[in-house]
């Protein structure tokens, strides 16, 4: 996997979880910035092994002219039972893009760690992996990998920028620390 984000924010761990993993104003704004439309979310629900699961469906806008302009996508998220409210959250997210070329070969796995740093700070870490469901021809594989990394890098760069903006709004006149 690759580490795409590893940063301490002046945002508490539980607030960070709320921003990223609930139907929050932040998520809705970020989606509109990324031109992600038709979003629907299920709520978190306990599965048979004690983890929590939810899924998201949406349409992404793609800037790459070789691929087409839009794709529907499904994101299946797991909040592991080892997570501790306010202290430590581990969320795995599998993203399937249904309408891009070779979509039946791969998906993306994002692993989010939110770790409490102090009362008002947390560290956010995101690891990403491109996973293959079946082995494509070598040239196709490198094509998929290359296109995936650049799209993912771009996405997390913007997520970081939006979180910094949120952080600035939250600390303004909030008493800070
Ligand atoms: C989530 C990874 C690959 C995919 C895309 C596919 C190219 C296909 C290459 C062909 C378009 C929000 C990406 C970037 C779409 C967006 C996905 C997002 C950013 C020509 C071989 C969507 C996180 C996420 C994970 C994976 C990203 C896709 O929250 O290049």
């Amino acid at each position: 996997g690759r580490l795409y984000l590893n940063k301490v924010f002046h945002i508490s761990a539980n607030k960070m979880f709320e921003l990223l993993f609930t139907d929050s104003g932040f998520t809705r704004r970020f989606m509109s910035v990324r031109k992600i439309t038709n979003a629907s979310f299920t709520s978190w629900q306990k599965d048979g092994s004690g983890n929590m699961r939810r899924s998201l469906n949406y349409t992404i806008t793609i800037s790459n002219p070789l691929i087409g302009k839009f794709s529907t996508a499904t994101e299946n998220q797991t909040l592991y039972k080892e997570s501790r409210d306010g202290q430590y959250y581990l969320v795995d997210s599998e993203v399937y893009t249904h309408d891009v070329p070779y979509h039946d070969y791969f998906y993306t796995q994002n692993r989010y760690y939110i770790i409490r740093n102090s009362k008002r700070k947390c560290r956010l870490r995101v690891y990403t992996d491109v996973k293959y469901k079946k082995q494509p021809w070598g040239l196709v594989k490198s094509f998929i990998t290359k296109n995936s990394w650049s799209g993912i890098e771009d996405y997390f760069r913007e997520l970081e920028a939006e979180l910094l903006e949120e952080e600035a709004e939250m600390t303004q006149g909030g008493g800070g620390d």
Side-chain angles (χ1 to χ4, degrees):
R2 291 197 189 181
L3 182 60
Y4 270 104
L5 219 165
N6 181 19
K7 199 174 169 55
V8 174
F9 293 91
H10 280 250
I11 297 174
S12 67
N14 62 310
K15 182 72 187 178
M16 183 64 88
F17 179 81
E18 193 189 305
L19 293 178
L20 298 179
F21 297 108
T22 66
D23 190 358
S24 65
F26 176 83
T27 295
R28 270 178 267 130
R29 269 197 311 282
F30 185 57
M31 284 184 155
S32 81
V33 169
R34 297 294 309 183
K35 299 193 176 70
I36 294 174
T37 59
N38 301 321
S40 69
F41 305 68
T42 66
S43 56
W44 286 106
Q45 242 146 24
K46 203 171 243 163
D47 70 7
S49 52
N51 300 322
M52 304 291 276
R53 300 189 124 261
R54 70 166 191 162
S55 57
L56 289 70
N57 282 290
Y58 46 76
T59 303
I60 54 169
T61 305
I62 303 165
S63 47
N64 190 330
L66 293 174
I67 299 169
K69 242 184 153 317
F70 303 99
S71 175
T72 57
T74 301
E75 189 165 339
N76 296 323
Q77 299 181 339
T78 304
L79 168 64
Y80 287 98
K81 58 171 182 277
E82 288 73 21
S83 302
R84 290 290 166 267
D85 204 26
Q87 301 288 325
Y88 173 79
Y89 301 83
L90 172 54
V91 176
D92 263 348
S93 164
E94 292 173 352
V95 183
Y96 298 83
T97 43
H98 305 299
D99 310 310
V100 301
Y102 306 106
H103 60 89
D104 48 338
Y105 282 88
F106 74 100
Y107 64 94
T108 306
Q109 183 178 293
N110 298 140
R111 175 164 283 194
Y112 296 81
Y113 291 91
I114 300 171
I115 306 150
R116 179 192 151 112
N117 204 309
S118 68
K119 198 172 170 210
R120 291 195 181 83
K121 285 186 193 171
C122 74
R123 178 179 294 277
L124 174 63
R125 257 200 217 132
V126 186
Y127 292 91
T128 295
D129 233 335
V130 179
K131 301 274 194 183
Y132 289 91
K133 289 186 276 183
K134 39 184 182 179
Q135 279 307 310
W137 188 42
L139 202 65
V140 169
K141 191 171 178 175
S142 66
F143 190 48
I144 293 171
T145 311
K146 185 172 155 282
N147 278 284
S148 297
W149 289 140
S150 65
I152 294 164
E153 192 180 334
D154 194 58
Y155 179 84
F156 286 113
R157 205 184 303 120
E158 195 151 24
L159 180 64
E160 178 177 333
E162 291 293 319
L163 282 171
L164 287 172
E165 211 167 285
E166 183 76 17
E167 176 191 85
E169 279 167 28
M170 282 172 49
T171 47
Q172 253 167 39
D177 66 11

